Structures are given as C-alpha cells and as structure tokens.
Amino acid sequence: MRLAASCETLLLSEMAVTRTMPIMLNEGTLYNNTLECGIDSKQVVRSNQTIIICMRLEEPGIPTWPDKCTYGRMELPAASVVNNTNEDTSTGLIHVPFPESGKWYVTMGLFCHGAETATKITIIDSVKDFIYKHVNLLDDVRAPCACKNQSKFYKICINDRDCLMGLNETETLKVKECLMDSKCTNSSDEIAKQFELHHKFATEQSVASDASCNASVVFTISSSPCVAGRCGKYGRCYHYMSGGFVFSTCLCIKGYRGWDCTEDSQVPSSFSILVALLLLTLSNLLFIPSIYFGIRRKYYTESVIYFFAMFFSIFYHACDSGEDEYGFCLVKIGVLQFCDFYCGLLAIWVTLIAMAHIRQTFVSLLHMFGAILLAFGTELNKQSLWVFLAPALTGLCLISVSWGWKCRRTGKWFPARKYLAVFLPIGMVLVMVGLVCYAFLQTRQNYHIVHSIWHMVMAMSILCLLPSNKSFLPKC
C-alpha cells in the first residue's frame, strides 16, 4: 500500500516555518514503514533550501538548526535532513521497523539560505570544516565505536581536500557523531560544545529571512518488507507467518548487523574467521586417542560412537563457522547440527554405562533406552542444559548402585584404588570444566575458544574415565 499526500507550500517566516502532520498507525501493521519526503525538483530554485524532519510517536518535535529536533527538554538528531543542493540529498527516507500503533507526528522545518550567501556555506560544509579541524581526534577513537574500524581511512580522506569534499552526507555525519559520542572518546562533551559554537558562528549569517522562499514537498508513506523491500549485500529478506500476520526481517551473514545488514562494527576479518574454523574443527581430533584406547579395551560400540561424535562435530563446525569464505557443508546444516548434539550426548551416556560395569544383557538394553530418549531430547531442545544433565545424573545413579552393590558383595573397594584416587578425580574435574564452559562461559565473541575447550576436555575425560581391563574390570 502506498499513500501520497498532496503537495503543500511551506512559507518561510523569519528563520523557519514548521508543519506538523499526525499519522495514525493501527495495530497489526507488521511490515516496515517508510516515510519519503522530497523537494520538488521542477521548481525554480532561487536559494539553498533545507528541510529538517522530526518524527516521533505521541510527541511532536520542533526542528532545530542545523540538524536537531527538540522534544520537550530533549534534543535528538533529526530523523532526516533534506536539501536541494543535489539529487543525492533532495529526498529523505525514514525507516520505521515494526512501528507501534498510535499517533505518529511528523514535523518539517524549512530553512532557506539567501541566494547571495548560498554559495558561501551549507550545513554539510560546516560539518566538513569542523571534522577537518579536529581530524586528529580520530586517533583516540576506541571500541565499540561504530567508526573504529574505518578511523584510519577517514583520517586520510579528511586530510585530502578533494576526498573530503567528495564525502556524502551520511559518511560526514557519521564521522561527526563518532567524535561526539561518549562511547568513542573521553572528550565527547567538550567536542559537542565546540561544534555547537563553530556551527552557530559559521551559519548565523547564512540563514537569512526571505519572504519569497517557498518549496513544494511530496510526502509519501509506504509499507514494505525488510528495508524498502530488500536487505544489504550481506543479508537476505525472509517472510514469516504467525496468526494470520506476515512478518519480515533481514537475516545477516559474515557478522553484519542492523535492520538492513549494513552495520559492520563487529564484522570479523578473514583471518579471524579462519582461526575460529580451525579451532572448532581440529579440536575434535583429540577424540582419536579415545577411539584408539576404546578399541584396545574392547569397547567397540563406544569407539564407534566416539568416532561419529568427532566426525559430525568436525563437519558441523566446518559448515557453521566458515561463513561464506571457508565454509563447507557436507549435507544440510540442520542435519549436521542434530547429529553433532546427538552423538555428543550418546558418547556421554555410553561412557557412563561402561563405568557402571553392568551385565552385558542390561548394557544392550540401556544403550537402546538411552539412544531413543536422547534422540527425543535432542530434537525437543538440543541446547538445553537439562538435555546434558539428565543422562549424566541417571548414569551417576547407575554407577553408584552398581559400585555399591559390588563393594557390599565382595567386602572390598570397587573399583581399584588407583582408579578412584587418580583417574576418576581427574576425569570428573575435566567434565565439570567442560560443563561450566558450555553452560555459562560461552558468548558470541568467545564461542570459538570456549567451545573448542569443551571439545578437548570432553575427549580427554573419556581417556580418564573409560574403564581399563587391568585397573578396573575384576577377574571373573
């Protein structure tokens, strides 16, 4: 749906004239809404004109020169700034993701520069002059500032007059906001005050009263999926249905973020992607000693499960962690993910059954019982902590009952003291470290490190906990 409002003429009165238009959005507006406002290019341009647009739910704003909006006692950046200097800046686009229902106020303020002074300075010219004078502050920009990764490029460009003049409005304002953001520099408040004084001095003679200044404005509202019907280069637009409503969103890749997948502040380098891929895949090779000793100790079923736990974990992370640069998917990633979690849980279960030293008849029964229930739990919620704790606690109960019964029947320690004093404590410590890493320490930033540690400690714990014929199993 696209609604176009009739063109209105905004007459200048002293410095600026504002018009406030309320827009009602009903509940159930699920697509992203876009507001477009443009200066009619067909009119005869007699002066440099700038429209400052404010947009807010339930509260009208007052456009404030040069690029702010005042809402009560708060002063916030304008939703859009439109001027008639060139085609790139003659249209303003305001993106409202999943707008709340209610009355939205759109306020426009027309500011005119006299024809004789229009060539002297514009808003963006003043901003460029300011960032040119304070370009050295880019050396002190720190993370998580949005322009941290591009600070060197911006400094080189700003020092080159031709490159500086070629910067578009978006990039210029991005650098200005970066210098004035408290997350970026320690002197953000002082820089903001300096900019206010600089801009007031630079433009106070430029914005003049002109009774003949007027502009025709085309005001349109449209509803579209994602951002204007598409996402950025590193995103895909997806649609979802729920309760009869259709939702849309952008799914980003390669670490890009934002509504349209253009925010690159957390994009990893190619080297870091490769390092994460190698850590998550090669850490699984520590299961090879577990497989070898399992075969030597005649635990053939357990060794097969250890092998497939290693196999599916390697190929799952090779598919999931390499992004589009190094990724390799043997089959669909959903299949690999299920097999990775399932074989990992099954490896824990069969190891606990082997430690319990139960009769072979019951071992086969418990293996099948665990295989079915673990498949159900993995499909139900594979990332739940209880999916890991349930087989672990059940296995510990079986071990306690089996070892206690053997101790009571023989009147001796079971299993051997060497196993109880050395291998069991080391194995239990490794398991606890792995569970703590998996459940509490993993974040998006350290996932490749912490999850690799989980792979390694679980593989090493099998070497300590898996029973040995000489030190664990009694002679029949």
Side-chain angles (χ1 to χ4, degrees):
M1 180 182 69
R2 191 177 185 88
L3 301 177
S6 59
C7 296
E8 295 188 13
T9 301
L10 304 184
L11 298 178
L12 182 68
S13 174
E14 295 182 352
M15 295 290 288
V17 168
T18 62
R19 289 286 180 89
T20 301
M21 290 168 283
I23 303 172
M24 291 298 297
L25 294 180
N26 299 323
E27 294 184 7
T29 306
L30 304 178
Y31 278 105
N32 297 327
N33 281 264
T34 303
L35 180 150
E36 295 183 18
C37 183
I39 297 176
D40 190 353
S41 60
K42 296 181 180 180
Q43 70 180 42
V44 178
V45 178
R46 291 175 295 176
S47 61
N48 183 21
Q49 301 167 334
T50 299
I51 294 179
I52 298 176
I53 306 170
C54 306
M55 184 173 181
R56 192 176 177 87
L57 177 65
E58 303 294 351
E59 184 179 8
I62 301 175
T64 305
W65 181 264
D67 58 355
K68 300 293 183 181
C69 290
T70 303
Y71 302 96
R73 296 184 178 180
M74 293 189 302
E75 188 176 66
L76 302 175
S80 182
V81 177
V82 182
N83 59 60
N84 64 351
T85 55
N86 56 63
E87 293 182 358
D88 294 334
T89 58
S90 62
T91 301
L93 185 68
I94 304 174
H95 178 61
V96 186
F98 304 103
E100 300 178 46
S101 60
K103 184 179 290 186
W104 289 76
Y105 287 90
V106 178
T107 307
M108 301 181 188
L110 175 62
F111 295 82
C112 290
H113 306 258
E116 68 283 356
T117 58
T119 58
K120 292 182 180 179
I121 191 167
T122 64
I123 297 177
I124 206 67
D125 290 333
S126 175
V127 176
K128 287 181 179 180
D129 183 54
F130 178 80
I131 62 177
Y132 176 77
K133 293 178 180 178
H134 298 80
V135 65
N136 291 330
L137 293 175
L138 289 173
D139 294 332
D140 301 327
V141 170
R142 61 176 184 269
C145 188
C147 63
K148 171 64 176 177
N149 296 335
Q150 296 178 290
S151 59
K152 292 183 178 179
F153 164 75
Y154 284 135
K155 185 175 180 181
I156 295 173
C157 183
I158 293 170
N159 283 320
D160 184 344
R161 278 293 185 178
D162 293 334
C163 183
L164 177 61
M165 291 300 103
L167 279 181
N168 59 33
E169 180 180 343
T170 302
E171 293 295 328
T172 304
L173 293 178
K174 183 178 180 180
V175 176
K176 186 206 76 170
E177 294 299 330
C178 180
L179 296 176
M180 298 167 59
D181 194 339
S182 60
K183 295 185 296 184
C184 302
T185 62
N186 294 324
S187 56
S188 57
D189 293 338
E190 181 64 26
I191 297 300
K193 292 179 182 178
Q194 291 182 22
F195 174 75
E196 184 177 353
L197 293 174
H198 164 85
H199 202 67
K200 182 178 180 181
F201 176 79
T203 60
E204 62 183 359
Q205 300 300 325
S206 298
V207 182
S209 176
D210 185 353
S212 64
C213 177
N214 60 78
S216 297
V217 177
V218 178
F219 178 86
T220 65
I221 300 174
S222 63
S223 181
S224 62
C226 296
V227 180
R230 60 185 182 276
C231 300
K233 180 181 177 182
Y234 299 99
R236 294 182 178 88
C237 185
Y238 284 85
H239 296 74
Y240 303 91
M241 292 191 66
S242 177
F245 295 108
V246 180
F247 297 84
S248 69
T249 188
C250 288
L251 293 184
C252 308
I253 59 175
K254 290 190 175 183
Y256 282 83
R257 307 175 68 192
W259 292 108
D260 56 352
C261 301
T262 56
E263 172 58 50
D264 58 357
S265 60
Q266 296 186 11
V267 175
S269 64
S270 297
F271 178 75
S272 62
I273 294 175
L274 181 60
V275 169
L277 175 67
L278 293 176
L279 278 175
L280 290 167
T281 53
L282 298 182
S283 60
N284 288 282
L285 295 180
L286 278 180
F287 277 95
I288 293 177
S290 302
I291 297 170
Y292 171 74
F293 283 104
I295 294 173
R296 285 196 58 182
R297 296 169 186 174
K298 299 182 179 180
Y299 290 102
Y300 303 115
T301 302
E302 289 80 358
S303 298
V304 170
I305 294 173
Y306 298 154
F307 170 78
F308 280 107
M310 176 186 70
F311 177 85
F312 285 116
S313 182
I314 288 175
F315 282 98
Y316 166 63
H317 290 294
C319 181
D320 180 63
S321 304
E323 301 293 347
D324 288 343
E325 295 188 51
Y326 306 105
F328 171 75
C329 295
L330 185 65
V331 292
K332 291 182 179 180
I333 189 171
V335 176
L336 292 172
Q337 186 184 47
F338 173 84
C339 293
D340 175 35
F341 279 87
Y342 178 62
C343 290
L345 290 169
L346 202 56
I348 296 174
W349 175 248
V350 298
T351 303
L352 293 172
I353 298 302
M355 291 172 59
H357 187 50
I358 303 172
R359 290 181 182 179
Q360 195 62 36
T361 305
F362 295 112
V363 169
S364 300
L365 181 64
L366 289 171
H367 280 177
M368 292 303 301
F369 181 76
I372 295 171
L373 290 183
L374 289 176
F376 171 77
T378 304
E379 183 64 26
L380 183 65
N381 188 354
K382 60 179 67 70
Q383 295 182 337
S384 172
L385 183 61
W386 281 104
V387 176
F388 287 86
L389 289 180
L393 295 176
T394 305
L396 290 176
C397 292
L398 290 172
I399 291 172
S400 300
V401 172
S402 176
W403 288 5
W405 182 78
K406 292 182 184 298
C407 288
R408 182 177 180 181
R409 189 185 66 174
T410 60
K412 298 179 180 180
W413 282 100
F414 185 89
R417 291 190 178 183
K418 183 179 180 181
Y419 180 86
L420 290 174
V422 180
F423 297 108
L424 183 62
I426 295 176
M428 293 302 295
V429 168
L430 290 173
V431 170
M432 292 302 297
V433 170
L435 288 176
V436 169
C437 289
Y438 182 86
F440 304 110
L441 300 182
Q442 282 188 173
T443 63
R444 186 180 181 87
Q445 288 73 27
N446 67 13
Y447 173 79
H448 61 286
I449 298 175
V450 176
H451 199 74
S452 298
I453 294 174
W454 154 262
H455 289 162
M456 293 186 287
V457 298
M458 295 309 292
M460 291 187 294
S461 67
I462 292 174
L463 291 174
C464 299
L465 298 177
L466 197 64
S468 170
N469 290 328
K470 294 181 178 179
S471 62
F472 188 80
L473 296 179
K475 297 181 179 180
C476 297

